Amino acid sequence: MVRYHRHHQLRRGGESMKEDVSQNECKRTRSRLFSLFLLSLLSCCFVLAPSFIGFSFNLNLPHFYPLGTENGPAVLEFCSSVSEGTICCDRTGYRSDICIMKGDIRTHSSSSSIFLYSNPISFNNQMTNLSRTAVSGKQDSDQVHQHEKIKPYTRKWETSLMDTIDELNIIYKKVSLGTGNHSCDVHHDVPALFFSTGGYTGNIYHEFNDGIIPLFITSRQFNKQVVFVILEYHDWWVMKYGDILSRLSDFPAIDFSGDNRTHCFPEAIAGLRIHDELSVDSSLMKDNKSSIVDFRNLLDQAYLPRIKGLIQDEAKEAQDRLSPVLSENQGNKPKLTILSRSGSRMITNENLLVKIAEEIGFIVEVFRPDRTTELAKIYGVLNASEVMVGVHGAAMTHFLFMRPGSVFIQVIPLGTSWAAETYYGEPAKKLGLKYIGYEIQAKESSLWKKYDRDDPVLRDPESINQKGWEYTKKIYLDSQNVTLDVRRFQKRLRRAYEYSASKLKRHLSQ
């Protein structure tokens, strides 16, 4: 389980010596304080000078924002005011690091580097530089003035995972007068956004939570005028999410390590901003209004055209299944889709669940997507459904494909309550879904037949989870199936039906 820790240290010492200070020493102390005040005032002038006279170097100043806020407003404001020839790195976030730079930016993939070149003539007095050059009769070579390292992936706290992520060098060089022959193979007039598709890529939850949604958050400000430069590039990932990428950028993505050409940019961001689990926090967005609903609207733009194409190419049965107006073709009955699992955490009496749901009044579809299922097809099924039912797991990420106002029923096996609510329940509510969490009882778990009634596995799952992730995964995720108490579960189904049927009736009457 993810836990967030912040440590604060207070330094103490020397108090006994201060108590013995004499009156004369007190006078000298006042004098020192006055001198210190003047020195502090002078220091402030130097600190603020770059903002007024155009100096371009990075100040490693602390960033202050409320505890628990990821990449808070103060940090956004600080890094959004980066001037020409400057690198600003925000390393205060618990989940990710971000570096922003502006100026003459050039890639060098063979050394995993981004170079920011600046001629000192842009920072110092031109005549002074010319005089120094004339006196010395020679010029220095390029000088490295700043060297940052960043792993542009959004699970910064997971050290073992981050060890697998490619590291990016960000190097700021001041080029001496008369030098700086650094040619561009490809010149871009728009900014670059560098990020990694390594890590947990391959898991649908992590692909959205750690990648796609942070990509939306970070690139939103550019209104598609940005080039994505991908570390640990995967052709299948670009193909899988091509519909979404085309709604975030007007330009083809670049394979950083696979493209040895020198790409030049006027601005670049390395790393992605992330807010919370499968969420977009409007207060942290630059426009102060974009939300997870806006991300859902982007999915509409990405997938609805593809769904229309599928409808034209497929038979009438597929048309009914994918059409967003399915319910109009089926009368006033709301559609319920069961995201079916195989292997662990499957519903063993799924056929009985289907029967009960149909008796209540639903049109029921049992949908079994796999790794090869096109996302547009999954989107089409869920976008046309009033209710989605599924057992806790990565596939629940697909609640993002439900229309706001729809119902999401999550079956929560033993030992998964916290994760189910944190990763899917709460985010679903933020999207505007009516969320119903169904925590199973011990008798509904296949573990009931494997352990004694007083075993902590059944009686106190939290104590097992506290032993570590490996216990949670082995016992509750990989070795547990669910046999629903249909009488108990149908109460949730009836609530979902009454809500969906009345909502559908209002919609059809308009």
Side-chain angles (χ1 to χ4, degrees):
M1 300 298 177
V2 180
R3 297 180 184 274
Y4 299 90
H5 299 283
R6 295 185 182 271
H7 300 281
H8 302 276
Q9 297 180 344
L10 297 177
R11 296 182 178 179
R12 299 178 180 176
E15 294 181 358
S16 58
M17 293 180 62
K18 292 179 183 179
E19 293 175 355
D20 297 329
V21 174
S22 63
Q23 292 183 353
N24 290 333
E25 183 63 21
C26 288
K27 294 179 180 179
R28 288 195 296 272
T29 299
R30 294 192 191 98
S31 177
R32 292 194 200 99
L33 288 174
F34 181 74
S35 300
L36 182 60
F37 170 77
L38 292 178
L39 181 60
S40 299
L41 184 62
L42 183 61
S43 298
C44 288
C45 293
F46 281 110
V47 169
L48 296 174
S51 300
F52 299 101
I53 61 178
F55 277 66
S56 296
F57 55 87
N58 186 48
L59 297 173
N60 294 318
L61 300 176
H63 308 294
F64 297 97
Y65 55 88
L67 289 179
T69 301
E70 182 72 17
N71 301 127
V75 177
L76 280 172
E77 180 64 27
F78 177 85
C79 286
S80 65
S81 62
V82 176
S83 58
E84 223 29 50
T86 298
I87 299 172
C88 171
C89 286
D90 165 23
R91 302 186 185 277
T92 59
Y94 185 85
R95 297 169 179 252
S96 66
D97 290 335
I98 305 288
C99 287
I100 302 175
M101 62 216 81
K102 291 184 180 180
D104 183 1
I105 299 165
R106 309 183 182 216
T107 62
H108 191 258
S109 61
S110 61
S111 65
S112 298
S113 301
I114 310 171
F115 288 95
L116 172 62
Y117 290 107
S118 295
N119 193 307
I121 197 171
S122 63
F123 309 109
N124 303 311
N125 182 274
Q126 180 178 3
M127 294 306 297
T128 300
N129 277 318
L130 290 173
S131 298
R132 288 177 179 175
T133 302
V135 171
S136 64
K138 61 180 181 179
Q139 296 164 335
D140 295 331
S141 59
D142 296 357
Q143 302 176 34
V144 175
H145 281 256
Q146 187 176 350
H147 186 174
E148 302 286 348
K149 293 178 180 290
I150 186 173
K151 294 187 175 185
Y153 190 67
T154 56
R155 299 189 77 83
K156 173 182 169 182
W157 74 92
E158 289 195 46
T159 305
S160 59
L161 177 68
M162 294 301 287
D163 287 342
T164 70
I165 302 298
D166 287 351
E167 189 169 61
L168 189 61
N169 296 291
I170 301 175
I171 300 171
Y172 169 42
K173 283 189 173 184
K174 285 188 177 180
V175 185
S176 299
L177 292 174
T179 67
N181 184 23
H182 308 287
S183 62
C184 294
D185 295 320
V186 185
H187 182 81
H188 302 271
D189 294 326
V190 299
L193 178 52
F194 294 78
F195 63 95
S196 172
T197 55
Y200 291 134
T201 297
N203 176 290
I204 188 70
Y205 163 78
H206 289 289
E207 287 170 5
F208 272 93
N209 186 71
D210 304 339
I212 295 297
I213 294 179
L215 188 60
F216 169 82
I217 291 170
T218 313
S219 65
R220 181 80 165 171
Q221 61 183 302
F222 297 114
N223 193 28
K224 300 177 69 175
Q225 298 304 295
V226 60
V227 175
F228 296 148
V229 185
I230 304 176
L231 284 71
E232 300 170 87
Y233 182 101
H234 302 287
D235 287 327
W236 66 263
W237 185 91
V238 173
M239 182 177 296
K240 180 177 182 178
Y241 292 105
D243 292 328
I244 297 178
L245 296 180
S246 67
R247 295 294 170 173
L248 295 175
S249 171
D250 282 335
F251 306 91
I254 295 173
D255 177 357
F256 180 68
S257 61
D259 188 341
N260 292 322
R261 295 176 298 174
T262 299
H263 291 264
C264 298
F265 299 94
E267 181 179 351
I269 298 177
L272 300 177
R273 297 193 182 279
I274 180 171
H275 294 164
D276 206 346
E277 310 302 328
L278 298 174
S279 300
V280 178
D281 186 339
S282 299
S283 68
L284 300 181
M285 295 294 288
K286 281 201 169 186
D287 59 13
N288 203 37
K289 61 182 181 181
S290 294
S291 67
I292 192 64
V293 174
D294 293 295
F295 176 76
R296 175 59 175 70
N297 292 337
L298 182 137
L299 296 182
D300 272 344
Q301 299 167 16
Y303 290 128
L304 286 179
R306 173 61 179 153
I307 292 171
K308 292 177 181 178
L310 290 171
I311 291 175
Q312 293 173 357
D313 295 338
E314 295 181 358
K316 181 64 167 61
E317 180 182 354
Q319 178 178 345
D320 293 341
R321 178 169 60 84
L322 292 174
S323 173
V325 293
L326 170 74
S327 298
E328 293 182 9
N329 299 327
Q330 298 285 346
N332 294 329
K333 289 186 175 182
K335 178 184 176 184
L336 179 146
T337 296
I338 300 172
L339 279 187
S340 182
R341 293 182 62 95
S342 58
S344 65
R345 282 167 286 152
M346 65 181 293
I347 299 176
T348 60
N349 57 344
E350 191 174 84
N351 290 338
L352 182 56
L353 171 61
V354 172
K355 180 181 178 181
I356 295 298
E358 288 177 339
E359 289 176 353
I360 289 174
F362 285 109
I363 298 168
V364 180
E365 176 173 357
V366 178
F367 187 52
R368 298 183 177 91
D370 57 32
R371 290 179 179 272
T372 64
T373 305
E374 186 180 355
L375 283 181
K377 291 184 178 180
I378 302 174
Y379 177 88
V381 171
L382 295 177
N383 187 61
S385 302
E386 280 71 42
V387 181
M388 180 181 90
V389 176
V391 181
H392 169 69
M396 295 302 95
T397 305
H398 293 118
F399 78 77
L400 292 168
F401 294 174
M402 299 288 289
R403 300 188 307 276
S406 301
V407 180
F408 169 32
I409 303 177
Q410 181 176 204
V411 177
I412 305 173
L414 295 181
T416 66
S417 298
W418 182 88
E421 294 295 329
T422 301
Y423 297 134
Y424 306 111
E426 289 302 320
K429 295 174 188 176
K430 294 177 182 178
L431 181 59
L433 301 185
K434 183 175 179 60
Y435 171 70
I436 300 175
Y438 177 81
E439 293 193 34
I440 71 169
Q441 296 176 343
K443 290 183 179 181
E444 295 174 89
S445 172
S446 60
L447 300 176
W448 180 258
K449 297 179 180 180
K450 296 181 180 180
Y451 294 89
D452 293 335
R453 302 298 178 261
D454 293 330
D455 194 294
V457 168
L458 300 175
R459 182 174 49 82
D460 187 13
E462 182 58 28
S463 67
I464 304 300
N465 288 334
Q466 289 176 356
K467 292 182 178 181
W469 167 249
E470 64 276 10
Y471 287 89
T472 299
K473 185 176 187 300
K474 180 179 179 181
I475 297 173
Y476 296 119
L477 299 182
D478 295 343
S479 305
Q480 180 178 197
N481 289 323
V482 174
T483 302
L484 292 173
D485 180 341
V486 178
R487 288 187 178 181
R488 180 168 171 255
F489 189 73
Q490 70 177 348
K491 295 179 182 178
R492 277 73 174 179
L493 291 179
R494 291 190 182 280
R495 284 168 51 195
Y497 178 81
E498 292 171 2
Y499 171 82
S500 300
S502 61
K503 186 172 180 291
L504 185 59
K505 185 177 180 180
R506 290 196 301 270
H507 172 72
L508 294 177
S509 65
Q510 292 178 352

